[in-house]
Amino acid sequence: MSLTRQSYIGSFLGTDHRLLISFFEGMTLLLRKSSAQARIEGWDPRNRSDNDYAVVDDTIVGRIYREMILGKPKWRWFLQSIPEAGPGRPIPPPNQGMADTLDEAQAAFKKRYEEVRRGK
């Protein structure tokens, strides 16, 4: 994704997105608020938490969101698809995880996404 396209997306979505996972083999993953992604997809954007994000690589490839576990906030991530694999290909475990911070969840998602893209 070029910086020009990134700037366009940023101006279109305002503050509803942020860069997630820098460059990996010439592509960029975006962490986009679920409410913004819902508007793009034509879904109802209401009832979407501010702490709920779609992970996007041309299409939605996963999700990261905050939830309360035993009274403590945690960030859950899951990988739902890899575009190169085609639709319906199951993602081998582990395809989800939990972290204490959003940054840790992003790092874990990135690591697993790269592993699956390499066939591991």
Side-chain angles (χ1 to χ4, degrees):
M1 175 178 284
S2 71
L3 292 176
T4 303
R5 183 171 173 212
Q6 179 67 36
S7 299
Y8 168 76
I9 291 171
S11 62
F12 175 71
L13 295 175
T15 59
D16 283 348
H17 88 287
R18 61 188 259 186
L19 189 60
L20 168 64
I21 300 175
S22 65
F23 292 95
F24 173 68
E25 293 182 9
M27 64 87 193
T28 302
L29 293 176
L30 293 176
L31 186 65
R32 184 178 289 146
K33 290 206 181 239
S34 288
S35 57
Q37 187 65 33
R39 286 191 298 275
I40 290 167
E41 300 287 342
W43 305 331
D44 185 355
R46 294 176 291 182
N47 300 322
R48 310 265 179 179
S49 166
D50 282 341
N51 294 312
D52 188 348
Y53 298 91
V55 183
V56 181
D57 172 12
D58 290 329
T59 63
I60 299 171
V61 296
R63 183 175 169 209
I64 298 175
Y65 60 96
R66 195 179 109 183
E67 65 181 351
M68 297 300 283
I69 304 291
L70 300 173
K72 296 184 180 181
K74 297 286 183 179
W75 289 90
R76 183 178 298 272
W77 63 269
F78 71 86
L79 180 59
Q80 71 186 49
S81 69
I82 300 292
E84 296 83 5
R89 175 182 169 226
I91 304 299
N95 55 12
Q96 62 181 331
M98 194 162 304
D100 290 327
T101 68
L102 178 56
D103 288 338
E104 290 171 1
Q106 290 175 2
F109 186 98
K110 175 187 176 184
K111 180 177 184 261
R112 186 62 187 141
Y113 187 80
E114 290 173 356
E115 289 171 352
V116 172
R117 286 194 68 203
R118 286 191 302 253
K120 293 184 178 186

